[in-house]
PDB file of all heavy atoms in Angstrom:
ATOM      1  N   ALA A 254     126.627-121.883 168.850  1.00 86.00           N
ATOM      2  CA  ALA A 254     127.567-121.022 169.538  1.00 86.00           C
ATOM      3  C   ALA A 254     126.873-120.023 170.460  1.00 86.00           C
ATOM      4  O   ALA A 254     127.317-119.762 171.567  1.00 86.00           O
ATOM      5  CB  ALA A 254     128.395-120.231 168.494  1.00 86.00           C
ATOM      6  N   ALA A 255     125.718-119.508 170.001  1.00 88.00           N
ATOM      7  CA  ALA A 255     124.958-118.567 170.835  1.00 88.00           C
ATOM      8  C   ALA A 255     124.428-119.289 172.093  1.00 88.00           C
ATOM      9  O   ALA A 255     124.483-118.734 173.178  1.00 88.00           O
ATOM     10  CB  ALA A 255     123.792-117.994 170.037  1.00 88.00           C
ATOM     11  N   LYS A 256     123.973-120.506 171.925  1.00 91.00           N
ATOM     12  CA  LYS A 256     123.445-121.256 173.067  1.00 91.00           C
ATOM     13  C   LYS A 256     124.535-121.548 174.085  1.00 91.00           C
ATOM     14  O   LYS A 256     124.337-121.398 175.294  1.00 91.00           O
ATOM     15  CB  LYS A 256     122.825-122.578 172.572  1.00 91.00           C
ATOM     16  CG  LYS A 256     122.188-123.401 173.684  1.00 91.00           C
ATOM     17  CD  LYS A 256     121.539-124.652 173.103  1.00 91.00           C
ATOM     18  CE  LYS A 256     120.873-125.470 174.232  1.00 91.00           C
ATOM     19  NZ  LYS A 256     120.222-126.710 173.682  1.00 91.00           N
ATOM     20  N   GLN A 257     125.722-121.928 173.584  1.00 91.00           N
ATOM     21  CA  GLN A 257     126.820-122.263 174.502  1.00 91.00           C
ATOM     22  C   GLN A 257     127.354-121.045 175.238  1.00 91.00           C
ATOM     23  O   GLN A 257     127.793-121.135 176.375  1.00 91.00           O
ATOM     24  CB  GLN A 257     127.938-122.943 173.704  1.00 91.00           C
ATOM     25  CG  GLN A 257     127.566-124.329 173.182  1.00 91.00           C
ATOM     26  CD  GLN A 257     128.670-124.919 172.305  1.00 91.00           C
ATOM     27  OE1 GLN A 257     129.800-124.422 172.279  1.00 91.00           O
ATOM     28  NE2 GLN A 257     128.332-125.979 171.583  1.00 91.00           N
ATOM     29  N   SER A 258     127.327-119.891 174.585  1.00 90.00           N
ATOM     30  CA  SER A 258     127.897-118.680 175.180  1.00 90.00           C
ATOM     31  C   SER A 258     126.861-117.841 175.934  1.00 90.00           C
ATOM     32  O   SER A 258     127.227-116.898 176.642  1.00 90.00           O
ATOM     33  CB  SER A 258     128.526-117.797 174.087  1.00 90.00           C
ATOM     34  OG  SER A 258     127.521-117.325 173.183  1.00 90.00           O
ATOM     35  N   GLY A 259     125.591-118.175 175.768  1.00 91.00           N
ATOM     36  CA  GLY A 259     124.548-117.392 176.434  1.00 91.00           C
ATOM     37  C   GLY A 259     124.194-116.108 175.683  1.00 91.00           C
ATOM     38  O   GLY A 259     123.491-115.245 176.206  1.00 91.00           O
ATOM     39  N   ALA A 260     124.624-115.979 174.402  1.00 91.00           N
ATOM     40  CA  ALA A 260     124.311-114.805 173.613  1.00 91.00           C
ATOM     41  C   ALA A 260     122.918-114.925 173.019  1.00 91.00           C
ATOM     42  O   ALA A 260     122.392-116.044 172.850  1.00 91.00           O
ATOM     43  CB  ALA A 260     125.340-114.633 172.474  1.00 91.00           C
ATOM     44  N   LEU A 261     122.315-113.796 172.717  1.00 91.00           N
ATOM     45  CA  LEU A 261     121.020-113.794 172.034  1.00 91.00           C
ATOM     46  C   LEU A 261     121.216-114.265 170.592  1.00 91.00           C
ATOM     47  O   LEU A 261     122.206-113.903 169.958  1.00 91.00           O
ATOM     48  CB  LEU A 261     120.396-112.421 172.050  1.00 91.00           C
ATOM     49  CG  LEU A 261     120.001-111.861 173.420  1.00 91.00           C
ATOM     50  CD1 LEU A 261     119.506-110.417 173.288  1.00 91.00           C
ATOM     51  CD2 LEU A 261     118.915-112.722 174.060  1.00 91.00           C
ATOM     52  N   PHE A 262     120.299-115.057 170.081  1.00 92.00           N
ATOM     53  CA  PHE A 262     120.401-115.572 168.710  1.00 92.00           C
ATOM     54  C   PHE A 262     119.246-115.047 167.884  1.00 92.00           C
ATOM     55  O   PHE A 262     118.071-115.238 168.194  1.00 92.00           O
ATOM     56  CB  PHE A 262     120.392-117.098 168.708  1.00 92.00           C
ATOM     57  CG  PHE A 262     120.430-117.685 167.306  1.00 92.00           C
ATOM     58  CD1 PHE A 262     121.540-117.504 166.500  1.00 92.00           C
ATOM     59  CD2 PHE A 262     119.328-118.395 166.795  1.00 92.00           C
ATOM     60  CE1 PHE A 262     121.583-118.031 165.217  1.00 92.00           C
ATOM     61  CE2 PHE A 262     119.363-118.921 165.514  1.00 92.00           C
ATOM     62  CZ  PHE A 262     120.500-118.738 164.736  1.00 92.00           C
ATOM     63  N   LEU A 263     119.567-114.378 166.785  1.00 91.00           N
ATOM     64  CA  LEU A 263     118.581-113.862 165.847  1.00 91.00           C
ATOM     65  C   LEU A 263     118.602-114.766 164.636  1.00 91.00           C
ATOM     66  O   LEU A 263     119.595-114.814 163.898  1.00 91.00           O
ATOM     67  CB  LEU A 263     118.956-112.413 165.472  1.00 91.00           C
ATOM     68  CG  LEU A 263     117.902-111.540 164.787  1.00 91.00           C
ATOM     69  CD1 LEU A 263     118.302-110.094 164.894  1.00 91.00           C
ATOM     70  CD2 LEU A 263     117.747-111.917 163.322  1.00 91.00           C
ATOM     71  N   ASP A 264     117.531-115.526 164.431  1.00 91.00           N
ATOM     72  CA  ASP A 264     117.476-116.514 163.347  1.00 91.00           C
ATOM     73  C   ASP A 264     117.161-115.818 162.024  1.00 91.00           C
ATOM     74  O   ASP A 264     116.087-115.972 161.463  1.00 91.00           O
ATOM     75  CB  ASP A 264     116.425-117.565 163.680  1.00 91.00           C
ATOM     76  CG  ASP A 264     116.424-118.728 162.689  1.00 91.00           C
ATOM     77  OD1 ASP A 264     117.311-118.729 161.797  1.00 91.00           O
ATOM     78  OD2 ASP A 264     115.587-119.604 162.824  1.00 91.00           O
ATOM     79  N   LEU A 265     118.142-115.069 161.553  1.00 89.00           N
ATOM     80  CA  LEU A 265     117.966-114.318 160.317  1.00 89.00           C
ATOM     81  C   LEU A 265     117.775-115.219 159.118  1.00 89.00           C
ATOM     82  O   LEU A 265     117.072-114.879 158.173  1.00 89.00           O
ATOM     83  CB  LEU A 265     119.178-113.395 160.093  1.00 89.00           C
ATOM     84  CG  LEU A 265     119.133-112.471 158.892  1.00 89.00           C
ATOM     85  CD1 LEU A 265     117.880-111.614 158.893  1.00 89.00           C
ATOM     86  CD2 LEU A 265     120.385-111.612 158.827  1.00 89.00           C
ATOM     87  N   ASN A 266     118.390-116.389 159.160  1.00 89.00           N
ATOM     88  CA  ASN A 266     118.245-117.336 158.041  1.00 89.00           C
ATOM     89  C   ASN A 266     116.787-117.679 157.806  1.00 89.00           C
ATOM     90  O   ASN A 266     116.294-117.605 156.674  1.00 89.00           O
ATOM     91  CB  ASN A 266     119.061-118.591 158.345  1.00 89.00           C
ATOM     92  CG  ASN A 266     119.184-119.505 157.152  1.00 89.00           C
ATOM     93  OD1 ASN A 266     118.288-120.247 156.848  1.00 89.00           O
ATOM     94  ND2 ASN A 266     120.320-119.432 156.467  1.00 89.00           N
ATOM     95  N   THR A 267     116.048-118.015 158.874  1.00 92.00           N
ATOM     96  CA  THR A 267     114.654-118.367 158.741  1.00 92.00           C
ATOM     97  C   THR A 267     113.782-117.176 158.428  1.00 92.00           C
ATOM     98  O   THR A 267     112.888-117.232 157.565  1.00 92.00           O
ATOM     99  CB  THR A 267     114.151-119.051 160.038  1.00 92.00           C
ATOM    100  OG1 THR A 267     114.886-120.268 160.250  1.00 92.00           O
ATOM    101  CG2 THR A 267     112.662-119.337 159.962  1.00 92.00           C
ATOM    102  N   LEU A 268     114.035-116.047 159.097  1.00 94.00           N
ATOM    103  CA  LEU A 268     113.203-114.851 158.891  1.00 94.00           C
ATOM    104  C   LEU A 268     113.299-114.346 157.455  1.00 94.00           C
ATOM    105  O   LEU A 268     112.292-113.970 156.854  1.00 94.00           O
ATOM    106  CB  LEU A 268     113.626-113.745 159.868  1.00 94.00           C
ATOM    107  CG  LEU A 268     113.381-114.036 161.342  1.00 94.00           C
ATOM    108  CD1 LEU A 268     114.022-112.950 162.218  1.00 94.00           C
ATOM    109  CD2 LEU A 268     111.899-114.137 161.635  1.00 94.00           C
ATOM    110  N   ALA A 269     114.518-114.331 156.893  1.00 94.00           N
ATOM    111  CA  ALA A 269     114.678-113.882 155.510  1.00 94.00           C
ATOM    112  C   ALA A 269     114.129-114.922 154.530  1.00 94.00           C
ATOM    113  O   ALA A 269     113.492-114.578 153.539  1.00 94.00           O
ATOM    114  CB  ALA A 269     116.155-113.607 155.212  1.00 94.00           C
ATOM    115  N   ALA A 270     114.353-116.202 154.823  1.00 94.00           N
ATOM    116  CA  ALA A 270     113.869-117.267 153.957  1.00 94.00           C
ATOM    117  C   ALA A 270     112.340-117.234 153.837  1.00 94.00           C
ATOM    118  O   ALA A 270     111.792-117.468 152.769  1.00 94.00           O
ATOM    119  CB  ALA A 270     114.328-118.628 154.468  1.00 94.00           C
ATOM    120  N   ASN A 271     111.671-116.943 154.924  1.00 95.00           N
ATOM    121  CA  ASN A 271     110.192-116.833 154.879  1.00 95.00           C
ATOM    122  C   ASN A 271     109.749-115.767 153.892  1.00 95.00           C
ATOM    123  O   ASN A 271     108.777-115.942 153.165  1.00 95.00           O
ATOM    124  CB  ASN A 271     109.644-116.507 156.260  1.00 95.00           C
ATOM    125  CG  ASN A 271     109.761-117.652 157.242  1.00 95.00           C
ATOM    126  OD1 ASN A 271     109.941-118.832 156.837  1.00 95.00           O
ATOM    127  ND2 ASN A 271     109.692-117.363 158.537  1.00 95.00           N
ATOM    128  N   ARG A 272     110.488-114.661 153.860  1.00 94.00           N
ATOM    129  CA  ARG A 272     110.140-113.579 152.944  1.00 94.00           C
ATOM    130  C   ARG A 272     110.356-113.997 151.487  1.00 94.00           C
ATOM    131  O   ARG A 272     109.554-113.679 150.610  1.00 94.00           O
ATOM    132  CB  ARG A 272     110.964-112.334 153.271  1.00 94.00           C
ATOM    133  CG  ARG A 272     110.466-111.589 154.505  1.00 94.00           C
ATOM    134  CD  ARG A 272     111.478-110.535 154.961  1.00 94.00           C
ATOM    135  NE  ARG A 272     110.853-109.496 155.789  1.00 94.00           N
ATOM    136  CZ  ARG A 272     110.470-109.677 157.044  1.00 94.00           C
ATOM    137  NH1 ARG A 272     110.676-110.853 157.605  1.00 94.00           N
ATOM    138  NH2 ARG A 272     109.910-108.682 157.724  1.00 94.00           N
ATOM    139  N   TYR A 273     111.486-114.663 151.214  1.00 95.00           N
ATOM    140  CA  TYR A 273     111.749-115.057 149.818  1.00 95.00           C
ATOM    141  C   TYR A 273     110.813-116.178 149.386  1.00 95.00           C
ATOM    142  O   TYR A 273     110.405-116.245 148.199  1.00 95.00           O
ATOM    143  CB  TYR A 273     113.214-115.467 149.661  1.00 95.00           C
ATOM    144  CG  TYR A 273     114.150-114.288 149.838  1.00 95.00           C
ATOM    145  CD1 TYR A 273     115.072-114.233 150.870  1.00 95.00           C
ATOM    146  CD2 TYR A 273     114.061-113.201 148.949  1.00 95.00           C
ATOM    147  CE1 TYR A 273     115.916-113.135 151.023  1.00 95.00           C
ATOM    148  CE2 TYR A 273     114.892-112.102 149.092  1.00 95.00           C
ATOM    149  CZ  TYR A 273     115.804-112.066 150.147  1.00 95.00           C
ATOM    150  OH  TYR A 273     116.649-110.984 150.306  1.00 95.00           O
ATOM    151  N   ASP A 274     110.453-117.074 150.300  1.00 95.00           N
ATOM    152  CA  ASP A 274     109.467-118.107 149.960  1.00 95.00           C
ATOM    153  C   ASP A 274     108.148-117.473 149.551  1.00 95.00           C
ATOM    154  O   ASP A 274     107.482-117.949 148.631  1.00 95.00           O
ATOM    155  CB  ASP A 274     109.239-119.044 151.147  1.00 95.00           C
ATOM    156  CG  ASP A 274     110.208-120.238 151.145  1.00 95.00           C
ATOM    157  OD1 ASP A 274     110.959-120.379 150.162  1.00 95.00           O
ATOM    158  OD2 ASP A 274     110.233-120.972 152.143  1.00 95.00           O
ATOM    159  N   ALA A 275     107.762-116.417 150.243  1.00 95.00           N
ATOM    160  CA  ALA A 275     106.516-115.722 149.921  1.00 95.00           C
ATOM    161  C   ALA A 275     106.576-115.081 148.538  1.00 95.00           C
ATOM    162  O   ALA A 275     105.568-115.039 147.807  1.00 95.00           O
ATOM    163  CB  ALA A 275     106.205-114.660 150.966  1.00 95.00           C
ATOM    164  N   LEU A 276     107.768-114.623 148.127  1.00 93.00           N
ATOM    165  CA  LEU A 276     107.933-114.046 146.806  1.00 93.00           C
ATOM    166  C   LEU A 276     107.982-115.119 145.712  1.00 93.00           C
ATOM    167  O   LEU A 276     107.592-114.876 144.573  1.00 93.00           O
ATOM    168  CB  LEU A 276     109.213-113.213 146.752  1.00 93.00           C
ATOM    169  CG  LEU A 276     109.248-111.920 147.572  1.00 93.00           C
ATOM    170  CD1 LEU A 276     110.685-111.405 147.670  1.00 93.00           C
ATOM    171  CD2 LEU A 276     108.347-110.874 146.907  1.00 93.00           C
ATOM    172  N   GLY A 277     108.468-116.292 146.085  1.00 94.00           N
ATOM    173  CA  GLY A 277     108.651-117.358 145.100  1.00 94.00           C
ATOM    174  C   GLY A 277     109.974-117.266 144.398  1.00 94.00           C
ATOM    175  O   GLY A 277     110.616-116.195 144.405  1.00 94.00           O
ATOM    176  N   GLN A 278     110.388-118.344 143.751  1.00 94.00           N
ATOM    177  CA  GLN A 278     111.690-118.368 143.108  1.00 94.00           C
ATOM    178  C   GLN A 278     111.789-117.335 142.003  1.00 94.00           C
ATOM    179  O   GLN A 278     112.775-116.565 141.911  1.00 94.00           O
ATOM    180  CB  GLN A 278     112.003-119.757 142.544  1.00 94.00           C
ATOM    181  CG  GLN A 278     113.388-119.882 141.912  1.00 94.00           C
ATOM    182  CD  GLN A 278     113.735-121.301 141.539  1.00 94.00           C
ATOM    183  OE1 GLN A 278     112.930-122.234 141.735  1.00 94.00           O
ATOM    184  NE2 GLN A 278     114.919-121.516 141.015  1.00 94.00           N
ATOM    185  N   GLU A 279     110.791-117.264 141.138  1.00 93.00           N
ATOM    186  CA  GLU A 279     110.830-116.304 140.034  1.00 93.00           C
ATOM    187  C   GLU A 279     110.725-114.885 140.548  1.00 93.00           C
ATOM    188  O   GLU A 279     111.427-113.983 140.093  1.00 93.00           O
ATOM    189  CB  GLU A 279     109.695-116.611 139.043  1.00 93.00           C
ATOM    190  CG  GLU A 279     109.758-115.769 137.772  1.00 93.00           C
ATOM    191  CD  GLU A 279     111.020-116.045 136.963  1.00 93.00           C
ATOM    192  OE1 GLU A 279     111.509-117.181 137.003  1.00 93.00           O
ATOM    193  OE2 GLU A 279     111.480-115.107 136.278  1.00 93.00           O
ATOM    194  N   GLY A 280     109.854-114.673 141.544  1.00 92.00           N
ATOM    195  CA  GLY A 280     109.681-113.338 142.082  1.00 92.00           C
ATOM    196  C   GLY A 280     110.869-112.832 142.853  1.00 92.00           C
ATOM    197  O   GLY A 280     111.064-111.625 143.041  1.00 92.00           O
ATOM    198  N   SER A 281     111.734-113.767 143.310  1.00 93.00           N
ATOM    199  CA  SER A 281     112.916-113.368 144.091  1.00 93.00           C
ATOM    200  C   SER A 281     114.112-113.016 143.228  1.00 93.00           C
ATOM    201  O   SER A 281     115.110-112.488 143.749  1.00 93.00           O
ATOM    202  CB  SER A 281     113.320-114.503 145.035  1.00 93.00           C
ATOM    203  OG  SER A 281     112.316-114.754 146.020  1.00 93.00           O
ATOM    204  N   ARG A 282     114.033-113.275 141.933  1.00 91.00           N
ATOM    205  CA  ARG A 282     115.199-113.037 141.052  1.00 91.00           C
ATOM    206  C   ARG A 282     115.748-111.606 141.129  1.00 91.00           C
ATOM    207  O   ARG A 282     116.948-111.384 141.164  1.00 91.00           O
ATOM    208  CB  ARG A 282     114.856-113.391 139.607  1.00 91.00           C
ATOM    209  CG  ARG A 282     114.670-114.872 139.374  1.00 91.00           C
ATOM    210  CD  ARG A 282     114.477-115.205 137.884  1.00 91.00           C
ATOM    211  NE  ARG A 282     114.124-116.591 137.688  1.00 91.00           N
ATOM    212  CZ  ARG A 282     115.010-117.602 137.665  1.00 91.00           C
ATOM    213  NH1 ARG A 282     116.295-117.333 137.842  1.00 91.00           N
ATOM    214  NH2 ARG A 282     114.602-118.837 137.471  1.00 91.00           N
ATOM    215  N   PRO A 283     114.853-110.561 141.138  1.00 90.00           N
ATOM    216  CA  PRO A 283     115.395-109.208 141.191  1.00 90.00           C
ATOM    217  C   PRO A 283     116.088-108.857 142.521  1.00 90.00           C
ATOM    218  O   PRO A 283     116.700-107.800 142.634  1.00 90.00           O
ATOM    219  CB  PRO A 283     114.142-108.321 141.005  1.00 90.00           C
ATOM    220  CG  PRO A 283     113.119-109.236 140.403  1.00 90.00           C
ATOM    221  CD  PRO A 283     113.404-110.564 140.982  1.00 90.00           C
ATOM    222  N   TYR A 284     115.967-109.728 143.500  1.00 91.00           N
ATOM    223  CA  TYR A 284     116.490-109.432 144.831  1.00 91.00           C
ATOM    224  C   TYR A 284     117.893-109.986 145.045  1.00 91.00           C
ATOM    225  O   TYR A 284     118.506-109.712 146.092  1.00 91.00           O
ATOM    226  CB  TYR A 284     115.549-109.984 145.922  1.00 91.00           C
ATOM    227  CG  TYR A 284     114.203-109.315 145.914  1.00 91.00           C
ATOM    228  CD1 TYR A 284     113.190-109.728 145.040  1.00 91.00           C
ATOM    229  CD2 TYR A 284     113.917-108.285 146.792  1.00 91.00           C
ATOM    230  CE1 TYR A 284     111.956-109.096 145.027  1.00 91.00           C
ATOM    231  CE2 TYR A 284     112.671-107.672 146.794  1.00 91.00           C
ATOM    232  CZ  TYR A 284     111.705-108.067 145.895  1.00 91.00           C
ATOM    233  OH  TYR A 284     110.485-107.451 145.906  1.00 91.00           O
ATOM    234  N   PHE A 285     118.394-110.762 144.094  1.00 90.00           N
ATOM    235  CA  PHE A 285     119.744-111.365 144.241  1.00 90.00           C
ATOM    236  C   PHE A 285     120.643-110.967 143.068  1.00 90.00           C
ATOM    237  O   PHE A 285     120.207-110.942 141.922  1.00 90.00           O
ATOM    238  CB  PHE A 285     119.641-112.884 144.306  1.00 90.00           C
ATOM    239  CG  PHE A 285     119.130-113.445 145.583  1.00 90.00           C
ATOM    240  CD1 PHE A 285     117.768-113.695 145.757  1.00 90.00           C
ATOM    241  CD2 PHE A 285     119.980-113.690 146.638  1.00 90.00           C
ATOM    242  CE1 PHE A 285     117.273-114.187 146.947  1.00 90.00           C
ATOM    243  CE2 PHE A 285     119.506-114.179 147.863  1.00 90.00           C
ATOM    244  CZ  PHE A 285     118.150-114.441 148.019  1.00 90.00           C
ATOM    245  N   ASN A 286     121.918-110.708 143.405  1.00 88.00           N
ATOM    246  CA  ASN A 286     122.928-110.469 142.372  1.00 88.00           C
ATOM    247  C   ASN A 286     123.588-111.748 141.921  1.00 88.00           C
ATOM    248  O   ASN A 286     124.044-111.898 140.793  1.00 88.00           O
ATOM    249  CB  ASN A 286     123.995-109.518 142.901  1.00 88.00           C
ATOM    250  CG  ASN A 286     123.695-108.076 142.625  1.00 88.00           C
ATOM    251  OD1 ASN A 286     123.126-107.747 141.580  1.00 88.00           O
ATOM    252  ND2 ASN A 286     124.077-107.190 143.532  1.00 88.00           N
ATOM    253  N   ASP A 287     123.708-112.702 142.884  1.00 88.00           N
ATOM    254  CA  ASP A 287     124.375-113.959 142.607  1.00 88.00           C
ATOM    255  C   ASP A 287     123.875-114.989 143.618  1.00 88.00           C
ATOM    256  O   ASP A 287     122.800-114.805 144.197  1.00 88.00           O
ATOM    257  CB  ASP A 287     125.911-113.819 142.683  1.00 88.00           C
ATOM    258  CG  ASP A 287     126.374-113.139 143.976  1.00 88.00           C
ATOM    259  OD1 ASP A 287     125.771-113.396 145.032  1.00 88.00           O
ATOM    260  OD2 ASP A 287     127.344-112.371 143.935  1.00 88.00           O
ATOM    261  N   LEU A 288     124.642-116.028 143.842  1.00 87.00           N
ATOM    262  CA  LEU A 288     124.221-117.067 144.782  1.00 87.00           C
ATOM    263  C   LEU A 288     124.042-116.571 146.182  1.00 87.00           C
ATOM    264  O   LEU A 288     123.171-117.038 146.924  1.00 87.00           O
ATOM    265  CB  LEU A 288     125.248-118.222 144.748  1.00 87.00           C
ATOM    266  CG  LEU A 288     124.954-119.408 145.661  1.00 87.00           C
ATOM    267  CD1 LEU A 288     123.704-120.138 145.230  1.00 87.00           C
ATOM    268  CD2 LEU A 288     126.148-120.369 145.688  1.00 87.00           C
TER     269      LEU A 288
END
């Protein structure tokens, strides 16, 4: 949608995922309330 409209796209999905990957699955548990 951003590409088609010419809007800036912030890939928050990847940026946040990189941080949680660095913490690991067990280390990320305190950072989530649910799914």
